[in-house]
Amino acid sequence: MKDLVNGTWEACATPVGVDLENPATSEVTGPALGSSTARTEEALAAADALGAWAAPVEERADILDRIAAAVAGAAPEITALESRATGVPIRQTTPLGMILAGAFALAASQLRLGILTSTAVREDGREVLVERLPWGPAACLVPWNAPAPMAAHKVANALAAGCPTILKPSEYAPFGTERLAEVIDAVLRDAGAPPALFQLLHGGAEVGARIVSDPRIRAVSFTGGLGGGRAVAAACAYDIKPVQLELGGNNALIVLPDADEAIAARAAADLLTTLNGQWCRALGRLIVPAGREQALADAVLSRMNEMTAGDPADEATDYGPLIHSGHRAAVIKARDDLGGVINESTLTGPGNTLAPALVLGADPARTTEEIFGPVAAVHGYETVDEAVALANGTRYGLEGYVFGADEEAALAVAKRVRAGEVKVNGSSVMSLHLFTPRPAWGISGYSEEGTAETLLFFTNPRVVGVENGFALHSRS
């Protein structure tokens, strides 16, 4: 592992306190290493000294396009590193790799659309200019389940805004993000950008806390778990710095009485196996008409049993191992603590693979928390009102899913689900629309992400104009 500080790459040597594993074998590959206190301080000081990227908007857009082209060329290598570190099958990390270059191209296009400037015209014909300016040095912290795509999205928009950017990946999956950082750095160097414009630091919670709590960091974008999100929010509150949080979810899929059982089962199976169940929009609760709980569970299990579990590097693998044996143990404990009857699939494989499971008969009050693994509870309902209440019976509010043959009725139910995005008759990992926000409710986060929203997050408006001469206490 190497960090990048003020234009220099240096091998990390500070132990983080966790061992990295090969998810496909459970074998320890070495200790996770982080940036030293001195390197972290140097990065913060360099970002603060730069303050903002002074390049004109069109120049920034051109450089972002150059980064997009370079990242596209490196995408196969980055997605292979992601698969090896996280256990996510290469056939899933490869399509997600489209986000890598796309994030920088989209940020460039937003700049060219003039998203950072606008004017308002007063009644006297005078124009008032509204400029969106960079907050200043920004920190981008990404988790381990799909680190490089998330890093690309955050970094592209922070740079587009003009913020000197410090990126910190999870200590459990640093390699794909580090390779992405190498590509970004090479393009910025070639373009003559300031060396402190983009920096990379490695480490665990201690390094993250040092970055986020430093008053020289003026904006923080964090994707991760609830515990980390709370710590980040608390640190940012002290300096009144803007924070963008995308946290967890305990997402419900409501199967309406007229839904096609096979279609709903396929969606539930996909939600449980995408990223090996380790993603914030995965299925947490399957809510079905009373009396059909076992039938729907069997249909979901049947669908998953047709998949192939194996080495994540194998193109034939649909479902891979969990990232770490410690996380596997935590998912098993959370599953067993639900208290219901566990219905396991036969989808087993090497290393840290855990068979996806549905739990029937659990008390809904015990299924309100996120598990972050291939486990979901199944609940029956008598009325649609009860189904909506079950779906909303959690403090999370990230994603929701509703399936029904009557699309209008399904949409009406979807509008009652308390979540940032609710998909009707679909369960894709992609958003409903490229240019809609990705919001969250409750403890799933706040300050939504999105194609435009993330760029705007890293900026703050300044309004400039000529006063019209009116004053409350003017004297002639």
Side-chain angles (χ1 to χ4, degrees), residues 82 86 88 96 143-147 150 173 223 275 278-280 323 372:
E82 296 272 278
T86 64
V88 175
L96 283 175
W144 48 256
N145 58 339
M150 295 187 200
T223 299
L275 301 186
Q278 301 168 126
W279 60 305
C280 55
I323 188 171
F372 211 70

Side-chain angles (χ1 to χ4, degrees), residues 131-298:
E131 301 175 288
R132 299 198 68 98
L133 304 176
W135 281 107
C140 299
L141 290 79
V142 297
W144 48 256
N145 58 339
M150 295 187 200
H153 172 70
K154 293 179 189 295
V155 170
N157 285 285
L159 294 178
C163 293
T165 303
I166 296 177
L167 170 65
K168 193 198 86 67
S170 166
E171 65 272 31
Y172 285 98
F175 303 111
T177 307
E178 183 176 304
R179 183 69 188 102
L180 172 67
E182 289 175 345
V183 177
I184 297 170
D185 177 53
V187 175
L188 292 176
R189 285 174 187 269
D190 186 63
L197 178 60
F198 172 70
Q199 302 180 93
L200 173 74
L201 294 175
H202 286 295
E206 182 179 346
V207 172
R210 189 174 297 123
I211 297 168
V212 168
S213 62
D214 194 288
R216 291 168 291 188
I217 292 295
R218 295 308 310 151
V220 176
S221 180
F222 172 87
T223 299
L226 176 60
R230 283 174 165 157
V232 169
C236 291
Y238 184 82
D239 288 318
I240 321 296
K241 69 180 70 170
V243 59
Q244 184 180 56
L245 301 177
E246 185 184 25
L247 308 178
N250 185 5
N251 313 294
L253 188 158
I254 298 175
V255 180
L256 295 175
D258 67 342
D260 184 305
E261 186 174 284
I263 294 176
R266 181 169 61 184
D270 290 347
L271 288 168
L272 278 169
T273 54
T274 297
L275 301 186
N276 306 334
Q278 301 168 126
W279 60 305
C280 55
R281 298 171 194 271
L283 179 64
R285 289 158 297 137
L286 182 60
I287 301 171
V288 307
R292 292 171 59 185
E293 295 93 333
Q294 191 65 59
L296 261 298
D298 289 344

Side-chain angles (χ1 to χ4, degrees), residues 49-408:
L50 178 57
W53 189 14
V57 165
E58 186 58 40
E59 181 180 337
R60 298 206 299 263
D62 288 343
I63 292 173
L64 289 170
D65 276 336
R66 290 168 58 184
I67 294 174
V71 168
E77 182 184 358
I78 295 170
T79 56
L81 289 168
E82 296 272 278
S83 178
R84 192 178 309 151
T86 64
V88 175
I90 190 71
R91 65 186 302 174
Q92 292 183 26
T93 62
T94 296
L96 283 175
M98 293 187 298
I99 297 172
L100 299 174
F104 290 93
L106 278 172
S109 70
Q110 291 294 298
L111 288 180
R112 293 193 176 101
L113 287 172
I115 192 173
L116 298 184
T117 58
S118 62
T119 56
V121 181
R122 294 201 312 254
E123 291 182 359
D124 61 2
R126 291 268 194 174
E127 286 190 347
V128 175
L129 175 66
V130 182
E131 301 175 288
R132 299 198 68 98
L133 304 176
W135 281 107
C140 299
L141 290 79
V142 297
W144 48 256
N145 58 339
M150 295 187 200
H153 172 70
K154 293 179 189 295
V155 170
N157 285 285
L159 294 178
C163 293
T165 303
I166 296 177
L167 170 65
K168 193 198 86 67
S170 166
E171 65 272 31
Y172 285 98
F175 303 111
T177 307
E178 183 176 304
R179 183 69 188 102
L180 172 67
E182 289 175 345
V183 177
I184 297 170
D185 177 53
V187 175
L188 292 176
R189 285 174 187 269
D190 186 63
L197 178 60
F198 172 70
Q199 302 180 93
L200 173 74
L201 294 175
H202 286 295
E206 182 179 346
V207 172
R210 189 174 297 123
I211 297 168
V212 168
S213 62
D214 194 288
R216 291 168 291 188
I217 292 295
R218 295 308 310 151
V220 176
S221 180
F222 172 87
T223 299
L226 176 60
R230 283 174 165 157
V232 169
C236 291
Y238 184 82
D239 288 318
I240 321 296
K241 69 180 70 170
V243 59
Q244 184 180 56
L245 301 177
E246 185 184 25
L247 308 178
N250 185 5
N251 313 294
L253 188 158
I254 298 175
V255 180
L256 295 175
D258 67 342
D260 184 305
E261 186 174 284
I263 294 176
R266 181 169 61 184
D270 290 347
L271 288 168
L272 278 169
T273 54
T274 297
L275 301 186
N276 306 334
Q278 301 168 126
W279 60 305
C280 55
R281 298 171 194 271
L283 179 64
R285 289 158 297 137
L286 182 60
I287 301 171
V288 307
R292 292 171 59 185
E293 295 93 333
Q294 191 65 59
L296 261 298
D298 289 344
V300 176
L301 294 169
S302 177
R303 166 71 178 176
M304 289 192 292
N305 292 342
E306 296 173 356
M307 298 179 180
T308 300
D311 186 335
D314 189 337
E315 290 282 356
T317 297
D318 300 304
Y319 177 75
L322 304 191
I323 188 171
H324 197 277
S325 56
H327 182 62
R328 185 180 187 276
V331 171
I332 291 173
K333 183 180 186 305
R335 178 197 68 189
D336 295 348
D337 285 348
L338 296 180
V341 178
I342 299 171
N343 288 240
E344 273 192 325
S345 74
T346 60
L347 197 58
T348 58
N352 296 331
T353 304
L354 177 65
L358 293 169
V359 180
L360 278 66
D363 182 346
R366 300 180 68 173
T367 68
T368 61
E369 298 302 317
E370 181 184 48
I371 291 179
F372 211 70
V375 177
V378 181
H379 298 303
Y381 67 86
E382 296 288 348
T383 67
V384 171
D385 286 345
E386 185 182 353
V388 172
L390 284 166
N392 294 337
T394 174
R395 297 178 298 165
Y396 292 95
L398 189 61
E399 194 89 348
Y401 309 92
V402 178
F403 281 75
D406 184 336
E407 190 174 282
E408 185 175 343

